């Protein structure tokens, strides 16, 4: 007789009695929830730079990777947030070493849909690494670009430091802020600045190189002339501002992070100039000069809070002198015996 037949012949009362003697195992499911500090950081960023300001037609902003706490957790979330322009593996490792629980990455490190999360791709390795160390990531990107007092205004405001020159600033590519109130009126993805009197191109190049963190090298496209180029109207946009500023036809100078060859060539033929400083160099100093103190003020009620700026974050490009290469680019000299 097999077991099934035996069970079929067993009385229901006996089966019930047998079942009641089996030890009952219960599983306590820990309740996962967003840590309070992560919620405070997200609220602070959304207060400063509301997500509706971002260009969601293509951009990916908001809380891109969440961390969690649980009812079973005994370790408090460290109130440490680290600011970076780009979230690379080096920055992720830095965040871990500095005990950060939240990263604010200006550029979104997840931009398009992921079909897998493996070790084969560096972006996906970052996701795994941060998940392992329970670190959240928030990205504001174009919300910071557009907001009054944000990155576009920051670039425009540098021109107000020119001695004896007043400026009139207007918004390029305005954003509908009717749902956000008067505080965010004038938001948009670029700025046009009218100077009260013409200023030499060289003076403006020097001004921006200093204002963007003391850059030693920038790229300038300009018409060839024997006379000094004078600038009366400037259009500015952080990052890749080519399309944003395309409609500003009366600008004498375009200031942006990068511009491709043919648009720059066209502007030069129209007797205009372009100052290009490499993409993230037009953005990075904003984190230290503006966003860090803003967040510190927003989070001042959080006990022990630290707002740190990444020391690993840097633009992937650098200008090199081929006659004086950096040590890590020099060929090893073989010693002959």
């Amino acid at each position: 007789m097999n077991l099934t037949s035996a069970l079929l012949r067993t009385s229901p009362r006996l089966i019930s009695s047998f079942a009641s003697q089996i030890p009952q195992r219960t599983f306590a499911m820990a309740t996962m929830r967003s840590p309070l500090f992560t919620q405070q950081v997200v609220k602070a960023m959304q207060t400063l730079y509301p997500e509706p300001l971002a260009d969601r037609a293509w951009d990916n902003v908001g809380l891109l990777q969440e961390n969690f706490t649980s009812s079973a957790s005994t370790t408090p979330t460290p109130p440490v947030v680290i600011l970076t322009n780009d979230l690379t593996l080096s920055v992720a490792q830095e965040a871990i070493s500095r005990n950060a629980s939240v990263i604010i990455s200006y550029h979104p490190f997840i931009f398009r849909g992921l079909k897998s999360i493996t070790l084969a791709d560096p972006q996906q390795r970052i996701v795994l690494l941060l998940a392992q160390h329970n670190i959240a990531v928030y990205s504001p990107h174009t919300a910071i670009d557009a907001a009054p007092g944000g990155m576009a205004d920051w670039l425009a405001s540098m021109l107000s430091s020119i001695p004896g020159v007043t400026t009139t600033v207007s918004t390029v590519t305005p954003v509908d802020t009717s749902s956000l109130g008067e505080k965010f009126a004038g938001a948009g993805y670029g700025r046009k600045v009218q100077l009260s009197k013409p200023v030499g191109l060289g003076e403006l190049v020097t001004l921006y190189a200093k204002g963007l963190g003391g850059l030693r090298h920038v790229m300038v496209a300009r018409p060839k002339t024997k006379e000094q180029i004078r600038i009366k109207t400037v259009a500015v946009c952080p990052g890749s501002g080519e399309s944003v500023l395309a409609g500003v036809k009366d600008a004498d100078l375009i200031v942006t992070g990068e511009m491709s060859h043919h648009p720059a060539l066209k502007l030069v033929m129209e007797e205009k100039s372009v100052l290009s400083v490499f993409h993230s160099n037009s953005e990075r100093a904003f984190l230290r000069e503006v966003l860090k103190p803003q967040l510190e003020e927003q989070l001042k009620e959080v006990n022990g809070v630290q707002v740190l700026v990444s020391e690993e974050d840097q633009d992937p490009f650098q200008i090199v002198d081929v006659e004086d290469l950096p040590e890590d680019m020099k060929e090893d000299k073989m010693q002959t015996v």
Side-chain angles (χ1 to χ4, degrees):
M1 182 183 297
N2 59 33
L3 179 61
T4 301
S5 301
L7 287 173
L8 288 173
R9 293 175 180 270
T10 304
S11 69
R13 181 177 297 178
L14 184 59
I15 292 175
S16 176
S17 175
F18 176 73
S20 67
Q21 297 177 38
I22 299 176
Q24 299 297 307
R25 300 182 63 189
T26 58
F27 296 87
M29 180 66 73
T31 303
M32 296 172 64
R33 61 184 183 276
S34 178
L36 176 59
F37 181 62
T38 301
Q39 297 176 45
Q40 291 168 322
V41 171
V42 170
K43 181 181 178 182
M45 288 301 298
Q46 292 178 344
T47 298
L48 293 167
Y49 304 105
E51 291 174 20
L53 294 177
D55 189 353
R56 285 194 175 275
W58 61 270
D59 201 5
N60 188 33
V61 301
L63 188 59
L64 303 188
Q65 180 161 334
E66 195 162 11
N67 58 352
F68 69 93
T69 186
S70 71
S71 57
S73 176
T74 58
T75 305
T77 302
V80 179
V81 56
I82 189 165
L83 312 181
T84 185
N85 192 271
D86 294 295
L87 179 46
T88 61
L89 280 166
S90 295
V91 173
Q93 293 284 6
E94 178 189 14
I96 294 166
S97 68
R98 300 177 83 174
N99 206 30
S101 58
V102 182
I103 297 172
I104 294 178
S105 176
Y106 167 73
H107 286 138
F109 84 117
I110 299 175
F111 202 73
R112 296 177 178 84
L114 299 177
K115 293 186 177 181
S116 63
I117 303 180
T118 71
L119 297 176
D121 180 276
Q123 178 196 32
Q124 295 168 19
R125 289 205 298 274
I126 293 172
V127 174
L128 291 169
L129 188 62
L130 297 182
Q132 181 185 22
H133 291 273
N134 202 26
I135 299 176
V137 182
Y138 185 90
S139 174
H141 204 199
T142 51
I144 283 187
D145 293 354
M151 207 169 281
D153 272 340
W154 174 67
L155 288 174
S157 69
M158 293 183 192
L159 296 167
S160 65
S161 65
I162 304 172
V165 175
T166 58
T167 60
T168 303
V169 181
S170 57
T171 301
V172 178
T173 318
V175 176
D176 180 10
T177 59
S178 56
S179 64
L180 298 174
E182 285 297 315
K183 179 182 177 181
F184 294 97
Y189 300 121
R191 300 292 186 270
K192 183 173 78 170
V193 186
Q194 192 76 31
L195 307 179
S196 61
K197 62 181 182 182
V199 177
L201 175 61
E203 183 176 351
L204 297 185
V205 170
T206 302
L207 180 147
Y208 273 105
K210 181 179 179 181
L212 293 172
L215 304 179
R216 288 286 308 277
H217 304 93
V218 297
M219 294 189 293
V220 179
R222 68 191 193 281
K224 296 298 185 287
T225 174
K226 294 181 180 179
E227 300 178 357
Q228 184 186 42
I229 297 174
R230 310 292 288 181
I231 304 297
K232 186 73 182 291
T233 304
V234 183
V236 302
C237 182
S240 182
E242 179 184 311
S243 60
V244 170
L245 302 177
V248 187
K249 302 301 183 183
D250 58 340
D252 304 310
L253 172 65
I254 303 295
V255 178
T256 190
E258 62 177 299
M259 181 175 291
S260 54
H261 174 82
H262 292 290
L265 192 64
K266 180 175 182 291
L267 287 168
V268 169
M269 290 191 291
E270 294 173 345
E271 299 296 311
K272 302 178 186 301
S273 300
V274 179
L275 170 59
S276 175
V277 298
F278 295 113
H279 189 112
S280 64
N281 286 339
S282 66
E283 305 157 338
R284 184 168 291 102
F286 177 90
L287 304 181
R288 187 177 301 278
E289 294 181 12
V290 181
L291 185 56
K292 182 179 188 292
Q294 284 181 332
L295 263 184
E296 288 173 335
E297 175 63 24
Q298 288 285 323
L299 299 170
K300 63 183 179 182
E301 302 301 326
V302 179
N303 187 36
V305 66
Q306 294 184 71
V307 180
L308 309 175
V309 179
S310 171
E311 297 173 358
E312 292 293 328
D313 180 40
Q314 62 182 358
D315 197 276
F317 286 102
Q318 67 177 125
I319 298 289
V320 299
D321 183 343
V322 295
E323 295 184 0
D324 186 22
L325 291 174
E327 289 299 320
D328 61 351
M329 293 179 64
K330 292 179 180 179
E331 292 287 339
D332 292 332
K333 295 182 178 179
M334 301 293 292
Q335 292 185 355
T336 57
V337 179

